Amino acid sequence: ETGVTQSPTHLIKTRGQQVTLRCSSQSGHNTVSWYQQALGQGPQFIFQYYREEENGRGNFPPRFSGLQFPNYSSELNVNALELDDSALYLCASSLTSGVRGELFFGEGSRLTVL
Amino acid sequence: GENVEQHPSTLSVQEGDSAVIKCTYSDSASNYFPWYKQELGKGPQLIIDIRSNVGEKKDQRIAVTLNKTAKHFSLHITETQPEDSAVYFCAASSGDNNDMRFGAGTRLTVKP
């Protein structure tokens, strides 16, 4: 148990729709990162939020956006869904102060785009 | 940006044997190298990590080695057990976690 929870666990959308995925970070962690994991691949960094501000972004288009709230929860929003957006979306919380490094992952939200 | 390559993509060993997974990275500024284990239906979980000021680190049956000159690092699992069966990912980072890059993963199967 990492203390990081994600919802929903599975969902199906159609091309062009919008989706919101949610994450509840481990208590006390002020940083949340989102990753996309395609089948058979390693996680790909989407973006990170630190104290409710975006703090780094990977090679993903602007239709991928996020929010982080003061209560350790966060959201990943994807607009204009494409078939290639089908993947497991992972959030990971971490502490940026003190010892840097360990990411605590949730179990992911599996998105299927038809 | 950083590029992490991992091999083999699949590895099958007999229970009790050792398993070795290797990764290379491209960014000489990378200084943090974690290894994650992902079991079916779960998110990745950190099993061991190493920083660039250390050449080797060991934790019971798991060890990681780092060669900064050659830009490669390896995971060694000794006395493998069936519960070690999972997908293992290496990763590299040069700063905060906002630039963590993962390898494509190795599916390890330990046969009883």
Side-chain angles (χ1 to χ4, degrees), chain B:
Chain B
E2 176 65 276
N3 182 43
V4 178
E5 295 194 358
Q6 181 173 349
H7 54 93
S9 56
T10 60
L11 179 60
S12 181
V13 300
Q14 208 65 37
E15 182 177 358
D17 288 350
S18 294
V20 180
I21 302 170
K22 299 182 180 182
C23 287
T24 60
Y25 61 97
S26 61
D27 188 351
S28 56
S30 289
N31 57 14
Y32 176 62
F33 308 91
W35 286 87
Y36 287 83
K37 176 183 181 182
Q38 187 173 26
E39 296 176 334
L40 197 62
K42 296 190 179 291
Q45 184 173 5
L46 180 73
I47 56 171
I48 195 167
D49 57 11
I50 191 167
R51 299 181 190 275
S52 59
N53 58 346
V54 175
E56 183 174 355
K57 184 175 177 181
K58 194 172 181 180
D59 182 5
Q60 299 183 341
R61 297 186 297 109
I62 295 174
V64 57
T65 59
L66 171 65
N67 183 329
K68 283 211 72 179
T69 303
K71 293 193 194 129
H72 66 70
F73 55 114
S74 301
L75 177 71
H76 305 251
I77 306 174
T78 59
E79 300 171 27
T80 54
Q81 301 167 2
E83 51 265 38
D84 294 330
S85 296
V87 179
Y88 291 82
F89 294 97
C90 62
S93 168
S94 63
D96 204 342
N97 289 329
N98 62 7
D99 67 349
M100 185 84 72
R101 297 292 184 260
F102 285 77
T106 296
R107 180 173 297 280
L108 173 65
T109 302
V110 180
K111 298 177 184 176

Side-chain angles (χ1 to χ4, degrees), chain A residues 2 33 35 37 40-45 48 55-58 88 90 94-96 99-103 105-107, chain B residues 31-32 34 36 38 41-46 49 51 87 89 93-105:
Chain A
T2 63
S33 304
Y35 288 82
Q37 187 177 20
Q41 299 295 315
Q44 299 292 314
F45 176 69
Q48 180 187 83
N55 181 43
R57 188 176 185 94
L88 180 68
L90 296 161
S94 60
L95 276 172
T96 56
V99 176
R100 187 183 68 238
E102 183 166 4
L103 296 172
F105 283 90
E107 297 193 346
Chain B
N31 57 14
Y32 176 62
Y36 287 83
Q38 187 173 26
K42 296 190 179 291
Q45 184 173 5
L46 180 73
D49 57 11
R51 299 181 190 275
V87 179
F89 294 97
S93 168
S94 63
D96 204 342
N97 289 329
N98 62 7
D99 67 349
M100 185 84 72
R101 297 292 184 260
F102 285 77

Side-chain angles (χ1 to χ4, degrees), chain A residues 59-73:
Chain A
N59 190 27
F60 281 81
R63 59 190 185 84
F64 285 77
S65 63
L67 287 170
Q68 184 187 28
F69 305 101
N71 64 350
Y72 305 115
S73 67

Side-chain angles (χ1 to χ4, degrees), chain A residues 6 21 35-36 46 64 76 85 87-91 108-109 111:
Chain A
Q6 291 187 242
L21 307 178
Y35 288 82
Q36 179 194 67
I46 303 175
F64 285 77
L76 164 65
D85 295 333
L88 180 68
Y89 288 85
L90 296 161
C91 82
S109 294
L111 170 66

